[in-house]
């Protein structure tokens, strides 16, 4: 056993819908202006009592049920998130308890590319410990966006999605690429709340616990680094762009997605997107789109599936999977 099969998947999004009509009224702009800028018509937002962990638990439970296993069968739980349940302990600890996970638990924070980082961590872990792994991406960025900040508020949504990985003799990961550029930390940031600037009454008064974005810098670096990553992954696998059957990008902004596709030669008709309905769900965006494609029966045995994304930091990553039929 040196690979894995994805035997279960599940997703969870809040019921509350925040439409672009709602935000257009709040910020005094037209709905068409919002949609043309980012491609988002609505997004989901948590209600009081819903958290990053509660969404992760819902998604994880559904993935376990589909895989036909329980938490007691899971050797390792990995939660990708940039909006943790609380500073300590890790969000995975709360999820671990609620799902009755028997094995280890840890978080991965690479912002919106966190799920790809977590997937590659799980893939490496599977090679030395071939037992079931539960992988979850969950974020609640509507709680980190300043309600007065138009640029972020029109983008972010909340959600979670999960995959169950089980050992397989087949290697599903054909190639991958991960990277980071720490000189870009100012492009998207939450300044207060950590050791560099502990929270105080003054930081709260100034709104420094909210996220701030430099949209132009994010756009330029997202396209540049993701294109570079995708090219490296395809080249390593010796796969031409037109051979990819399904492209599952980070659901950040339709202009960024289209630009990445056009610069890499990928076929736009093979894009898997749900951006219009859920917005940017950060660590959850890639697995949420993948889970929907699987629910719809779009992915078949032998298909080449490309996952690609970027996040604050700046981080980026891509992985090319050869899908395999699962028989249990």
């Amino acid at each position: 056993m040196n690979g894995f099969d994805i035997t279960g998947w599940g997703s969870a999004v809040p019921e509350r819908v925040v439409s672009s009509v709602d935000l257009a009224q709040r910020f005094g702009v037209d709905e068409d202006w919002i949609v043309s800028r980012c491609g988002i018509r609505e997004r989901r937002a948590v209600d009081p009592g819903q958290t990053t962990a509660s969404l992760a638990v819902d998604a994880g439970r559904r993935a376990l049920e589909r895989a036909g296993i329980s938490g007691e069968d899971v050797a390792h739980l990995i939660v990708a998130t940039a909006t943790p349940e609380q500073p300590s302990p890790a969000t995975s600890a709360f999820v671990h308890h609620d799902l009755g996970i028997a094995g280890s638990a840890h978080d991965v924070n690479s912002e919106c590319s966190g799920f790809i980082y977590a997937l590659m961590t799980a893939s490496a872990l599977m090679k030395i410990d071939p037992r079931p792994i539960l992988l979850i991406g969950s974020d609640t960025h509507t709680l980190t966006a300043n309600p007065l900040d138009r640029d972020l508020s029109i983008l972010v949504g909340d959600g979670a999605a999960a995959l169950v990985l089980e050992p397989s003799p087949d290697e599903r990961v054909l190639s991958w690429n991960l990277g980071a550029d720490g000189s870009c930390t100012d492009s998207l940031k939450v300044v207060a709340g950590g050791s560099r600037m502990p929270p105080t009454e003054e930081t709260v008064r100034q709104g420094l616990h909210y996220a701030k974005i430099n949209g132009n810098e994010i756009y330029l670096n997202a396209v540049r680094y993701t294109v570079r990553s995708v090219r490296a992954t395809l080249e390593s696998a010796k796969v031409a762009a037109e051979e990819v059957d399904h492209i599952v990008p980070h659901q950040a902004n339709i202009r960024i997605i289209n630009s990445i596709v056009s610069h890499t030669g990928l076929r736009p008709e093979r894009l898997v997107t749900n951006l219009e309905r859920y917005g940017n769900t950060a660590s959850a965006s890639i697995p949420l789109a993948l889970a929907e494609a699987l629910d719809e029966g779009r992915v078949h045995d032998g298909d080449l599936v490309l996952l690609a994304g970027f996040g604050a930091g700046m981080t980026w990553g891509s992985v090319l999977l050869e899908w395999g039929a699962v028989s249990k």
Side-chain angles (χ1 to χ4, degrees):
M1 298 282 183
N2 61 0
F4 63 81
D5 282 325
I6 295 173
T7 61
W9 57 89
S11 58
V13 294
E15 291 187 5
R16 183 159 65 97
V17 175
V18 180
S19 71
S20 290
V21 173
D22 299 330
L23 294 178
Q25 292 173 349
R26 182 197 301 179
F27 295 114
V29 297
D30 294 329
E31 178 194 8
D32 290 343
W33 180 86
I34 294 177
V35 175
S36 65
R37 282 178 63 88
C38 59
I40 303 169
R41 293 192 179 275
E42 58 185 38
R43 63 289 286 149
R44 303 298 180 93
V46 290
D47 283 315
Q50 288 184 305
T51 67
T52 296
S54 71
L55 292 177
V57 168
D58 289 345
R61 183 173 289 118
R62 289 167 183 149
L64 291 172
E65 289 174 355
R66 185 180 289 272
I69 65 174
S70 71
E72 294 180 352
D73 301 309
V74 175
H76 305 286
L77 166 68
I78 305 175
V79 175
T81 186
T83 54
E85 192 77 350
Q86 57 191 53
S88 180
T91 299
S92 56
F94 297 94
V95 179
H96 183 280
H97 173 72
D98 287 348
L99 289 179
I101 302 295
S104 72
H106 74 272
D107 287 8
V108 171
N109 180 3
S110 297
E111 264 290 356
C112 299
S113 56
F115 192 80
I116 293 179
Y117 272 68
L119 177 60
M120 295 317 303
T121 300
S123 177
L125 189 57
M126 185 68 77
K127 294 183 186 307
I128 60 173
D129 185 10
R131 294 184 292 163
I133 297 174
L134 177 59
L135 179 59
I136 306 175
S138 183
D139 268 310
T140 53
H141 268 297
T142 65
L143 301 177
T144 69
N146 189 327
L148 302 179
D149 184 345
R150 183 188 66 189
D151 291 344
L152 262 181
S153 294
I154 66 174
L155 294 174
V156 296
D158 302 332
L163 301 179
V164 173
L165 278 57
E166 296 194 61
S168 166
D170 300 310
E171 180 57 77
R172 301 302 181 192
V173 177
L174 300 185
S175 57
W176 56 274
N177 176 269
L178 299 176
D181 181 354
S183 69
C184 300
T185 54
D186 280 342
S187 58
L188 179 58
K189 59 187 178 182
V190 178
V191 175
S195 60
R196 176 171 289 196
M197 186 181 293
T200 64
E201 290 185 12
E202 185 58 27
T203 63
V204 173
R205 189 177 298 112
Q206 294 183 33
L208 299 179
H209 57 293
Y210 288 126
K212 295 185 177 181
I213 186 172
N214 181 330
N216 289 335
E217 186 174 324
I218 284 285
Y219 179 91
L220 292 173
N221 286 328
V223 173
R224 176 175 60 171
Y225 287 129
T226 308
V227 166
R228 184 183 300 174
S229 180
V230 167
R231 286 174 175 168
T233 292
L234 294 179
E235 181 178 349
S236 175
K238 295 181 173 55
V239 169
E242 59 270 19
E243 295 179 86
V244 175
D245 297 295
H246 309 282
I247 308 151
V248 189
H250 168 43
Q251 313 285 307
N253 179 310
I254 194 61
R255 293 186 301 160
I256 292 177
I257 292 173
N258 288 338
S259 186
I260 290 169
V261 168
S262 68
H263 282 84
T264 53
L266 294 165
R267 294 187 175 182
E269 68 272 15
R270 296 180 178 178
L271 274 170
V272 177
T273 62
N274 56 16
L275 176 71
E276 184 178 34
R277 290 177 287 114
Y278 297 124
N280 181 347
T281 55
S283 302
S285 78
I286 289 175
L288 189 58
L290 178 60
E292 285 198 342
L294 293 171
D295 283 336
E296 294 166 1
R298 295 172 58 181
V299 184
H300 304 101
D301 186 23
D303 282 358
L304 297 182
V305 181
L306 176 69
L307 314 181
F310 59 90
M314 191 165 193
T315 63
W316 59 86
S318 57
V319 56
L320 184 66
L321 304 175
E322 182 176 15
W323 204 259
V326 176
S327 59
K328 294 195 67 179

